[in-house]
Amino acid sequence: MTFLRQSLLSAVTLLTLSPFAFAQEGASTPWADLRDIHLNVTPRTDAEKARIAAVTALPTDFSKPWPFEENSGGAQTVRARGIADAFSQPAANLSFQQELDFKVGNGMFKRLWVSPPASTIASDGLGPLYNARSCQRCHLKDGRGHTPEGPEDSAVSMFLRISIPAPSTDEITRYIAGTHPTAPDPFYGTQLQDLSLPGHAPEARMDITYETIEVPLSGGETAELRSPTYKAADLGYGPLHPDAMLSPRVAPQMIGMGLLEAIPAEDILSWADPDDLNGDGISGNPQIVWSRLYDQPMLGRFGFKAGNANMVEQTASAFAGDIGISSPLFPNAFGECTASQVDCLSAVHGENAEQDGFEIDQTGLDLVTFYSRSLGVPARRNVDDPIVLQGRKVFFDSGCAACHRPNYVTHRLEDGNAASFQLIWPYTDLLLHDMGEGLADNRPEGRANGREWRTAPLWGIGMTETVSGHTQFLHDGRARSLLEAILWHGGEAQASRDSVVNMDPPDRHALITYLESL
């Protein structure tokens, strides 16, 4: 596991910041001058930077496919298979040893955790409060989760985040300028667990109601949106805090995560324009979070509001919050239980000396993280189809690429990291954008306010139905089609959304066809 642990660390971006980037004692100085310090990274030369700028420059010829765009994940691209396992393939350029680690990690990703005490020590420690018994239960086939359709359908791939406003003297706010101070709900923590072990009450049941909104489109066409309202019902531990803020989350797809982690922070920040100095109506604000792993600030990349900086913490936080499993990063064996949940705190837990006193040890955490980093990205389909080419032009003409940045070249990484130096096409800037009142959850997270969301990657989006059996999109699955997802865009994306509403129907059809090819 020595090689694996080194390779896991090599793609992680660490940040140092100038005095202008971080506030002291609650000051509100804006971010500036973010610089990378990478582990096991070969710095780019000026000549290499020029080559990268040339290869990532957007071509102006829309009449034919662009070089290499069919290889969405660079050398990690895999064949686009028309089966439900299309997102579950190992990256194409893994070594033999890495493929073995991938398969072991896959087994742990699918592992069903059991209640303690149990004879199966390696799977012991579920709960007592949880949202799922395995990673796979939420990320079924490594694809998107879904909203519960009716009372008999499970909400296992969806949950409600929760927080309350906190004093401005919050510890992290002293260091990261622009952070909106929040704290866990004193009764329910940071997310609501709707499942529990025998003898423990679930925290809540998520109740969703929808209102129908009809949207007129050009050419006499119409679309129908469903506007959701969320409620925490059947509360098991008393009322929510009076200032509690709820926000729904559907499990996202898993492909290409290691490649997103390997994008240089410098490249991401080059698109940030929080004050819209260029006057194009698009801002883009970097999320900056405190890293438990490195005990310092880092650029946030993962999660709908970019709340985690690297895949180690993304994985460990999911184990703790979703399954109730402790790890070296989240050592509490009771998971998300709060001080008011005394039975949960005093329950038998699954920590074991054979796993260094945790319910999953560092080796297990590394393997699941490696699996999550190493899922291949399916190749583009129909890149030379005339309608797809027309739709690509519509995509750019409508301004969609202002946030959904098409391509990057990843860092040149050492230690045999398979994400090293790849031309990739994720279609995201990984920045926070104001998406308008329609998508607002009114719950801040770090430097993201209640209207801001991280730009979602678009690679693989056209295979959602193949993998997940549905076409639900956005952070809460409210959009039942790609068109509905576009129509929910507001704020900085309002002009692009209005362009789609008003364009000729054949262009709108071509745009959707293009997105389906990604």
Side-chain angles (χ1 to χ4, degrees):
M1 290 298 296
T2 301
F3 168 80
L4 174 59
R5 289 184 181 180
Q6 289 177 343
S7 66
L8 288 174
L9 289 173
S10 64
V12 177
T13 301
L14 298 183
L15 302 176
T16 60
L17 296 100
S18 76
F20 298 104
F22 287 89
Q24 297 296 323
E25 299 302 326
S28 57
T29 309
W31 70 274
D33 191 28
L34 290 172
R35 297 182 293 117
D36 288 331
I37 294 179
H38 294 277
L39 299 178
N40 302 318
V41 169
T42 301
R44 292 176 174 177
T45 64
D46 289 341
E48 191 165 76
K49 289 180 180 179
R51 288 172 50 213
I52 291 170
V55 79
T56 56
L58 300 180
T60 57
D61 183 0
F62 288 88
S63 66
K64 60 185 178 181
W66 295 332
F68 313 114
E69 70 168 321
E70 69 273 18
N71 295 323
S72 299
Q76 294 205 337
T77 305
V78 295
R79 180 168 59 91
R81 305 169 66 193
I83 59 174
D85 289 326
F87 285 176
S88 300
Q89 303 174 74
N93 63 342
L94 296 185
S95 68
F96 178 75
Q97 180 59 51
Q98 288 170 330
E99 280 203 44
L100 291 179
D101 289 335
F102 177 90
K103 291 175 181 177
V104 176
N106 186 19
M108 299 188 69
F109 190 83
K110 295 177 178 178
R111 170 181 290 170
L112 290 176
W113 293 83
V114 298
S115 59
S119 58
T120 54
I121 293 175
S123 303
D124 190 5
L126 176 67
L129 305 175
Y130 60 98
N131 295 107
R133 289 185 59 197
S134 72
C135 307
Q136 176 84 313
R137 286 287 178 93
C138 289
H139 303 278
L140 186 62
K141 299 293 184 181
D142 304 295
R144 300 173 189 271
H146 70 282
T147 60
E149 300 294 333
E152 302 302 319
D153 193 12
S154 170
V156 71
S157 59
M158 185 176 185
F159 65 82
L160 290 170
R161 289 214 179 279
I162 183 171
S163 56
I164 63 172
S168 60
T169 54
D170 175 76
E171 178 183 356
I172 300 304
T173 308
R174 295 205 308 269
Y175 299 98
I176 302 179
T179 295
H180 302 277
T182 61
D185 183 280
F187 308 103
Y188 291 94
T190 63
Q191 71 187 60
L192 292 174
Q193 283 85 19
D194 56 354
L195 299 172
S196 63
L197 297 179
H200 300 270
E203 288 188 322
R205 174 179 58 81
M206 181 171 54
D207 184 60
I208 314 175
T209 56
Y210 292 102
E211 176 188 354
T212 299
I213 302 174
E214 189 172 282
V215 180
L217 307 173
S218 61
E221 297 180 351
T222 61
E224 204 173 74
L225 306 183
R226 56 176 188 175
S227 177
T229 299
Y230 298 94
K231 179 182 177 183
D234 301 334
L235 294 168
Y237 298 89
L240 301 175
H241 188 280
D243 297 323
M245 301 174 287
L246 300 176
S247 183
R249 296 289 188 275
V250 167
Q253 65 184 31
M254 297 288 294
I255 58 173
M257 306 288 264
L259 293 168
L260 295 178
E261 190 175 42
I263 297 171
E266 178 184 4
D267 292 355
I268 297 169
L269 294 167
S270 70
W271 279 51
D273 184 17
D275 298 319
D276 192 20
L277 297 180
N278 64 5
D280 66 352
I282 307 298
S283 298
N285 202 15
Q287 176 70 284
I288 304 170
V289 297
W290 191 268
S291 168
R292 284 176 176 245
L293 183 61
Y294 295 103
D295 196 29
Q296 70 177 79
M298 294 178 65
L299 178 67
R301 301 170 187 245
F302 301 106
F304 287 105
K305 297 207 177 196
N308 274 314
N310 56 71
M311 283 303 297
V312 177
E313 291 178 83
Q314 180 76 7
T315 303
S317 62
F319 267 117
D322 301 348
I323 313 178
I325 299 298
S326 64
S327 68
L329 276 182
F330 292 84
N332 292 332
F334 48 80
E336 265 267 300
C337 296
T338 66
S340 63
Q341 295 166 334
V342 292
D343 290 341
C344 177
L345 296 177
S346 62
V348 176
H349 301 295
E351 65 267 49
N352 190 279
E354 294 183 23
Q355 299 183 134
D356 300 327
F358 306 108
E359 292 166 330
I360 185 170
D361 61 13
Q362 188 64 52
T363 298
L365 182 62
D366 286 349
L367 284 164
V368 177
T369 304
F370 184 77
Y371 171 77
S372 301
R373 278 184 169 134
S374 303
L375 288 160
V377 181
R380 285 276 310 280
R381 283 86 54 213
N382 307 318
V383 293
D384 56 355
D385 181 275
I387 296 179
V388 170
L389 293 172
Q390 177 189 356
R392 182 182 61 182
K393 187 174 188 303
V394 174
F395 181 86
F396 282 84
D397 288 348
S398 301
C400 303
C403 298
H404 291 282
R405 179 176 178 174
N407 55 15
Y408 299 86
V409 172
T410 60
H411 265 301
R412 192 183 290 280
L413 304 168
E414 299 175 3
D415 299 321
N417 192 300
S420 176
F421 211 58
Q422 301 299 317
L423 172 61
I424 62 173
W425 300 76
Y427 287 87
T428 175
D429 60 9
L430 294 176
L431 296 172
L432 302 171
H433 293 275
D434 183 333
M435 295 300 292
E437 191 59 36
L439 285 179
D441 66 348
N442 300 308
R443 176 187 172 272
E445 182 178 325
R447 301 182 78 242
N449 65 34
R451 292 165 55 104
E452 288 180 314
W453 300 92
R454 183 208 65 167
T455 305
L458 297 182
W459 52 12
I461 197 168
M463 300 191 70
T464 298
E465 186 168 16
T466 298
V467 173
S468 302
H470 64 75
T471 54
Q472 294 182 3
F473 304 104
L474 302 178
H475 67 281
D476 58 358
R478 70 176 67 186
R480 295 160 296 182
S481 68
L482 291 171
L483 178 60
E484 286 187 30
I486 294 170
L487 296 177
W488 274 111
H489 283 48
E492 296 174 42
Q494 185 70 43
S496 295
R497 179 261 186 201
D498 292 347
S499 175
V500 173
V501 168
N502 296 317
M503 66 180 49
D504 290 338
D507 284 342
R508 195 160 50 235
H509 169 70
L511 173 63
I512 299 303
T513 302
Y514 171 65
L515 293 174
E516 290 172 343
S517 78
L518 296 181

